Amino acid sequence: MKYTNKYIKKPIAFLLLITGFTVFSQQNSKIELPESFRNSVAKDTMNIADIKWKSFFSEADLVELIDIALAKNNDLQIAEKNITIANLQYKQAKWGNVPQINAYANATTTRLSENSLNGLSTSQFLGKNHLEDFSAGLNFSWEADIWGKIKNQKKSALAAYMQTTEAKKALQTSVVATVSNGFYDLLMLDAQLEIAKKTLVLNDSTLFVVNLQYDAGQVNLLAKQQTEAQRLIAAQLIPELEKNIQIQENALSVLTGTFPEVQKRQSLLNNLVVKDNLSAGIPSQLLSKRPDVKSAELELKIANAQVGIAKASLYPSLNITAVTGVNSFEFNNWFNIPASLFGSVTGGLVAPLLNSKKLKTRYEIAKIGRDQSVLRFKQTVLVAVGEVSNALVKIDKQEKEFTIANQRVETLKKSIVNANMLFKNGMATYLEVIIAQSYLLQAELELASIKKDRLIANVELYRALGGGWE
């Protein structure tokens, strides 16, 4: 008896040893990050990405528009369905190492040849030339997760589920940013339309005076034609801007999941306050705040799990199967217990032989795929840091650009007043007046565009830091 126990304990100990054996090493996803962003000297951890989007945007009509977009945007609804699918797949994967138990019931009848040995024997002993067989029972099968294959399948499914969640967050940040940018574009077009209409009125006034001078013989036909041409520049802008306004409204309608319609708004570009002193925090925060960065990291976890699964397929698998139930060749005795009871248990190792080369190739491909995931993760982080740096330099330089542009507009407004006074008193020519009006029109249009760019730069920084999904 001692001899038997000695040799039974050895394979059991061997199985316990290989069960805890790790077949592959996790690929490290660490990446060196700078201490601060370029164009930012601050190293504090204050970060505008922590602000919920309803608090970040102060315009009530914009908040309402974003709310509608998040509720009705079709892409976001598709992302929600993807999360549901991934969750179901993860729940299914959690049952990967649970034994499979199936119930069955069979009834068969076989007519035997009267000239066969089985037929003659059956006819002699049973008095009939056919056999009946009735069976019912349970099938049991279980694969021991020795090499961690099922464990890695669970890890892969969990990471895939979490990745779909991060994908939805990333899509939401994009929707929030796109809607707000489109809204600011719309307000800029509104402002430029008012500028064009105001300039047209100013041009009409100048043309009226030139026409009077022309009728009085004080100016020639060239003066009248050039003044009329200047007026037509402003007049041409009006339908062009009205067209762009409707196109922008249609684009916002699509984002909010509705058919093209007028976008109601009370905000005016000139009344909006551009936030300043926005804190970007430190680069390392991007790893936890930006959904696309977290998604890339989860992709690496999936790739690691796939390497483990491919590696495990190279080793033998331990399968245990069992069958139990009742069986009888007579229906009346089918459930005669315990006489009809039967059962069997089988355990065996299955190792790949002829397809080992195929499995090794799959393993090597999985490792290369993991290396690609590492590179994609690093590239995603690089892009994220670059986007934040770009937004910071835009905010800084566009503020200075706006100050200069605003000074230019104020100077040109004064020049318009002076030119009109001099023109009416015969101390300036019509050409000086229309040139001044042309310069003012261009400057005011540019100022509105720069104001819009400043608002969008703030949104870009907010999105680049990972804000907008809360």
Side-chain angles (χ1 to χ4, degrees):
M1 193 70 178
K2 292 180 180 179
Y3 176 85
T4 305
N5 289 339
K6 177 182 178 181
Y7 287 94
I8 289 177
K9 290 178 180 178
K10 285 186 176 181
I12 293 176
F14 173 72
L15 286 175
L16 291 174
L17 177 64
I18 61 177
T19 301
F21 182 74
T22 302
V23 297
F24 74 103
S25 61
Q26 293 282 334
Q27 184 72 34
N28 199 340
S29 61
K30 291 182 179 179
I31 183 172
E32 294 289 337
L33 287 169
E35 294 183 0
S36 62
F37 295 106
R38 185 182 180 185
N39 306 308
S40 175
V41 294
K43 296 183 181 180
D44 60 80
T45 56
M46 294 294 293
N47 194 317
I48 60 172
D50 294 327
I51 304 174
K52 294 183 178 180
W53 68 263
K54 284 190 176 182
S55 300
F56 182 79
F57 298 102
S58 56
E59 302 84 16
D61 41 4
L62 174 56
V63 171
E64 182 181 357
L65 195 62
I66 294 175
D67 236 343
I68 296 173
L70 295 182
K72 295 185 177 181
N73 183 270
N74 291 318
D75 290 332
L76 279 174
Q77 293 186 48
I78 292 173
E80 187 65 37
K81 299 299 181 183
N82 289 335
I83 292 175
T84 303
I85 293 172
N87 186 31
L88 292 173
Q89 291 172 337
Y90 171 58
K91 288 180 179 179
Q92 182 182 13
K94 287 197 296 185
W95 290 83
N97 61 343
V98 175
Q100 300 295 314
I101 301 177
N102 300 308
Y104 71 93
N106 295 321
T108 61
T109 180
T110 304
R111 187 189 186 286
L112 302 174
S113 170
E114 297 179 2
N115 295 324
S116 67
L117 180 61
N118 289 335
L120 292 173
S121 300
T122 301
S123 177
Q124 180 179 356
F125 290 103
L126 299 179
K128 53 184 179 179
N129 61 357
H130 67 277
L131 286 177
E132 295 175 344
D133 187 71
F134 304 94
S135 61
L138 298 174
N139 285 329
F140 168 92
S141 63
W142 179 68
E143 180 181 353
D145 193 21
I146 299 175
W147 309 108
K149 179 174 68 174
I150 298 175
K151 180 181 179 181
N152 282 307
Q153 288 173 345
K154 292 180 183 179
K155 287 182 178 180
S156 177
L158 175 60
Y161 167 63
M162 295 173 65
Q163 192 179 35
T164 55
T165 303
E166 295 301 327
K168 185 193 174 184
K169 290 178 181 179
L171 182 58
Q172 178 170 323
T173 62
S174 177
V175 169
V176 169
T178 304
V179 171
S180 58
N181 291 347
F183 181 78
Y184 293 139
D185 277 332
L186 189 58
L187 295 187
M188 179 201 68
L189 293 170
D190 288 342
Q192 289 181 335
L193 180 60
E194 290 303 312
I195 291 169
K197 289 179 177 179
K198 182 184 67 176
T199 302
L200 182 60
V201 172
L202 186 62
N203 291 160
D204 284 338
S205 176
T206 303
L207 181 60
F208 177 76
V209 174
V210 171
N211 283 335
L212 290 177
Q213 292 179 340
Y214 175 75
D215 293 338
Q218 296 177 0
V219 296
N220 56 28
L221 181 61
L222 178 61
K224 180 180 178 180
Q225 290 173 337
Q226 288 184 323
T227 307
E228 175 65 24
Q230 178 61 33
R231 176 193 173 278
L232 292 174
I233 292 176
Q236 183 183 350
L237 275 176
I238 293 175
E240 180 182 354
L241 290 169
E242 290 174 340
K243 173 198 69 178
N244 292 337
I245 286 172
Q246 287 201 27
I247 291 175
Q248 188 61 47
E249 287 180 327
N250 294 344
L252 286 172
S253 297
V254 172
L255 283 172
T256 54
T258 59
F259 290 105
E261 60 184 4
V262 175
Q263 298 295 331
K264 297 179 181 179
R265 51 196 180 276
Q266 294 80 38
S267 298
L268 298 174
L269 184 69
N270 291 335
N271 295 339
L272 299 186
V273 177
V274 180
K275 299 182 179 70
D276 54 5
N277 299 321
L278 298 178
S279 178
I282 54 179
S284 60
Q285 293 175 320
L286 294 175
L287 300 178
S288 61
K289 296 185 181 299
R290 273 196 56 145
D292 60 334
V293 173
K294 294 173 69 176
S295 178
E297 189 173 15
L298 289 167
E299 180 189 339
L300 179 55
K301 289 185 178 181
I302 294 173
N304 267 320
Q306 294 300 320
V307 171
I309 295 170
K311 181 69 173 178
S313 66
L314 297 173
Y315 294 94
S317 60
L318 174 61
N319 297 292
I320 298 174
T321 59
V323 181
T324 185
V326 290
N327 177 256
S328 174
F329 67 89
E330 293 180 345
F331 183 80
N332 294 335
N333 293 328
W334 190 0
F335 294 99
N336 185 2
I337 298 176
S340 297
L341 285 175
F342 76 95
S344 66
V345 178
T346 305
L349 289 171
V350 179
L353 293 177
L354 294 178
N355 63 338
S356 61
K357 178 62 178 178
K358 178 181 178 180
L359 296 176
K360 287 179 181 178
T361 301
R362 184 183 301 170
Y363 172 58
E364 294 299 325
I365 292 174
K367 289 197 296 182
I368 295 172
R370 181 178 62 187
D371 293 339
Q372 290 177 325
S373 296
V374 172
L375 294 173
R376 278 193 289 267
F377 171 67
K378 291 180 178 179
Q379 181 64 20
T380 303
V381 174
L382 286 174
V383 171
V385 175
E387 287 179 350
V388 174
S389 299
N390 291 343
L392 287 170
V393 71
K394 286 180 181 179
I395 290 172
D396 179 38
K397 302 304 179 183
Q398 285 173 353
E399 180 182 3
K400 297 174 181 178
E401 187 179 354
F402 180 81
T403 301
I404 296 171
N406 191 48
Q407 291 174 352
R408 180 189 176 201
V409 168
E410 293 302 319
T411 301
L412 287 171
K413 284 181 178 179
K414 293 177 183 178
S415 72
I416 287 290
V417 174
N418 293 333
N420 284 332
M421 289 177 59
L422 292 171
F423 178 62
K424 290 177 181 179
N425 290 294
M427 301 178 66
T429 65
Y430 74 92
L431 194 56
E432 291 173 312
V433 174
I434 63 176
I435 288 175
Q437 291 175 352
S438 175
Y439 285 162
L440 179 60
L441 173 62
Q442 180 183 3
E444 287 185 322
L445 293 175
E446 289 179 357
L447 184 65
S449 179
I450 296 171
K451 176 72 174 288
K452 180 265 299 183
D453 289 340
R454 292 185 67 198
L455 292 165
I456 289 180
N458 282 354
V459 176
E460 287 181 1
L461 178 63
Y462 182 58
R463 184 204 61 77
L465 290 170
W469 56 268
E470 289 187 285

